[in-house]
Amino acid sequence: MAQLWGGRFTKETDELVYNFNASISFDQKFYAQDIKGSIAHAIMLGKTGIITLEESEDIVNGLKGILNDIENGDLEISPKYEDIHSFVEATLIDRIGDTGKKLHTGRSRNDQVALDMRLYTRDEVLNIKELLYGLMKTLHSIMKENTDTYMPGFTHLQKAQPVTLAHHVGAYMEMFKRDYSRMCDIYERMNYCPLGAGALAGTTYPLDRDMTAELLGFKGPTLNSMDSVSDRDYVIELLSALSTISMHLSRFSEEIIIWNSNEYQFVELDDAYSTGSSIMPQKKNPDIAELVRGKTGRVYAALISILTTMKGIPLAYNKDMQEDKELTFDAIDTVKGCIALFEGMIRTMKVNKDKMKASAMNGFTNATDAADYLVKKGVPFRDAHGIIGKLVLYCIDNSKAIEELSISELKSISDVFDEDVYDAISLETCVGKRNTIGAPGPDAINKVLEINEAFLNSIK
C-alpha cells in the first residue's frame, strides 16, 4: 500500500523491508493515547486559527468515532498499515475526507510517537502505583496481625537472632515504599509534553504548545525539540524501577518458597496459588512464587536492551528507538501481573505461628542475648562472647538449647550465670527489649505501624 510518506519514493518498499520496519503489531497497544494526542492537537490547531474551527471539530468528532469503534470492537486495527499513527490518520481521512489530511499540520511522527509513548507510560505508572498500594496494604495487615509471631531472623541463611514476622515483613514494606516513591519521581520528571517538537526542529506554524500540554494533563511543554523526540530517559528510569520491584518480589518469593518447604513449614500457600505434580500426588508446589522469581530476568533484559540501544544513538530521532516499545510493554505487563499475583498469594497464605516460634527457639538465636546478659553482670564483651561460644558447643554436644540447660550446667561454663538468665534469654525478652526505632520490639513496631498507616492514608 502507498505510505503516508511515499511522495519522495518512486517504487514500493520491499515486503521484507516493510515488515521489518513496521511497528503496528505492537504500537497498536497505545491506540487510545495516539487518538487522545491527536484530539488535543486538532483542538489546538483550531483555536490558534491554523485550521478552521469547523475543520477542527470535524477532525475531533472523527477521531472520537474511531476510538469508540475500536473500543466497541466495531473497527479492527489493520496490520496492513505501518504503524498505529498511519492507521488512525488513514481511517480518519477515509471517514471525513480531505479535512482529515489537515490533522498532521505542524506535527511529525517523531513528536507524535514521543507523545504516545510518554502518555502510555504515564498511564502505566499510575496503574503500577495502584498495584503497589494494594500490595503495601496487604503487607501492613500481615504486620498488624503478627506483632507477636516469633520467628528466627537469618544472616547467611543461618539462624541469627529472634524477630517477629511483623518485623520481617516490615523490611519488604520499606522496599515497596521506596518502589512507590520511585514511581512518583518518574511521573514528575516525565510529565512534560513533546508534541510540537516536530521532526527535531519545531515548526513554523504558530502552535500553542502550552495549550496542548494543558489539554493532555502535562505540567508544560518540553524545552528542547531535539531532546523531545530523542529522549527515552523516562523509559529507562521506569524499566530500572520495574527491575527493582521485580528484585524485591523475587527476594520475597524466594523466602516464601523456603518457608513453604516441608523442612520449614512456616507458611502454607492457598490451593488457589499452588499446583500439583503430574506424577507425585503428595506435591503442592509454590509455582506462583517460582514464576515471580523467574520473570525477574525477563524484566532485567528489557532494561539492558534499551540501555544498549540508546548508548550509541546520535541526536535526534533514529529508527533504533522503535525498540523501546515491545520490551517495555512486556516488562510493564509482567510486573503488573507479578504484583497482583504475589499480593493474592501472601494475602491468602496461612502462617504457622507455632512452627515459626519453635524454629526460633532452636538454633541459638538467643546466644547474643546470653552474651549481653553476662556483659550486664560485668563480664567484658569479648570474654562474654567466648563464654557463650563454649556454651553453644556444650549444647551441640548434648543436643540441647541454651534455655534447656540447668543452672548447674550453665555455671559449669561461667559462675556469673544465675536464675534470672532464663528470663533474660526468653524469646519474649529477646524481642521485647529491642525497642529502638526500626527494631522488632513491640513499642518500635507499633510506632512503625502508625507511620505506615499514615503513609498509606496519604496516598489513597
Side-chain angles (χ1 to χ4, degrees), residues 1-73:
M1 63 170 291
Q3 303 302 317
L4 296 177
W5 42 264
R8 158 68 174 79
F9 292 78
T10 58
K11 64 180 182 179
E12 290 290 317
T13 306
D14 180 88
E15 185 177 357
L16 285 175
V17 173
Y18 175 80
N19 291 335
F20 189 68
N21 192 56
S23 59
I24 196 165
S25 64
F26 50 85
D27 68 15
Q28 64 178 280
K29 198 175 184 76
F30 49 47
Y31 71 88
Q33 288 79 15
D34 189 76
I35 295 172
K36 182 179 179 181
S38 291
I39 289 173
H41 185 64
I43 291 172
M44 181 274 298
L45 290 177
K47 289 189 175 181
T48 55
I50 297 172
I51 63 176
T52 69
L53 288 174
E54 183 180 358
E55 289 170 331
S56 172
E57 186 176 340
D58 287 345
I59 291 172
V60 169
N61 288 334
L63 289 168
K64 287 180 177 178
I66 293 170
L67 178 60
N68 184 68
D69 288 349
I70 292 174
E71 294 185 337
N72 288 338

Side-chain angles (χ1 to χ4, degrees), residues 102-149:
K102 297 188 176 184
L103 170 61
H104 210 54
T105 306
R107 187 175 71 170
S108 164
R109 276 197 304 178
N110 291 358
D111 60 342
Q112 187 178 1
V113 71
L115 172 69
D116 291 0
M117 190 63 178
R118 199 171 286 239
L119 286 173
Y120 182 86
T121 304
R122 190 179 67 173
D123 289 343
E124 290 298 342
V125 166
L126 294 177
N127 292 333
I128 293 164
K129 283 175 64 177
E130 185 67 24
L131 287 167
L132 286 172
Y133 173 77
L135 175 56
M136 290 187 292
K137 286 280 286 185
T138 296
L139 292 174
H140 185 59
S141 295
I142 293 172
M143 289 177 67
K144 288 195 295 184
E145 294 166 6
N146 290 281
T147 57
D148 60 353
T149 301

Side-chain angles (χ1 to χ4, degrees), residues 201-257:
T203 177
T204 58
Y205 293 99
L207 305 181
D208 188 338
R209 294 193 63 210
D210 288 299
M211 181 192 300
T212 311
E214 183 177 356
L215 287 170
L216 293 170
F218 288 104
K219 292 179 71 174
T222 52
L223 300 181
N224 183 284
S225 56
M226 294 181 75
D227 180 59
S228 300
V229 298
S230 62
D231 169 37
R232 294 298 182 272
D233 286 3
Y234 65 94
V235 174
I236 293 169
E237 283 192 66
L238 176 60
L239 290 175
S240 177
L242 293 181
S243 295
T244 304
I245 291 171
S246 297
M247 178 266 291
H248 291 155
L249 289 171
S250 182
R251 292 183 71 181
F252 205 166
S253 291
E254 172 71 5
E255 297 203 291
I256 295 297
I257 292 164

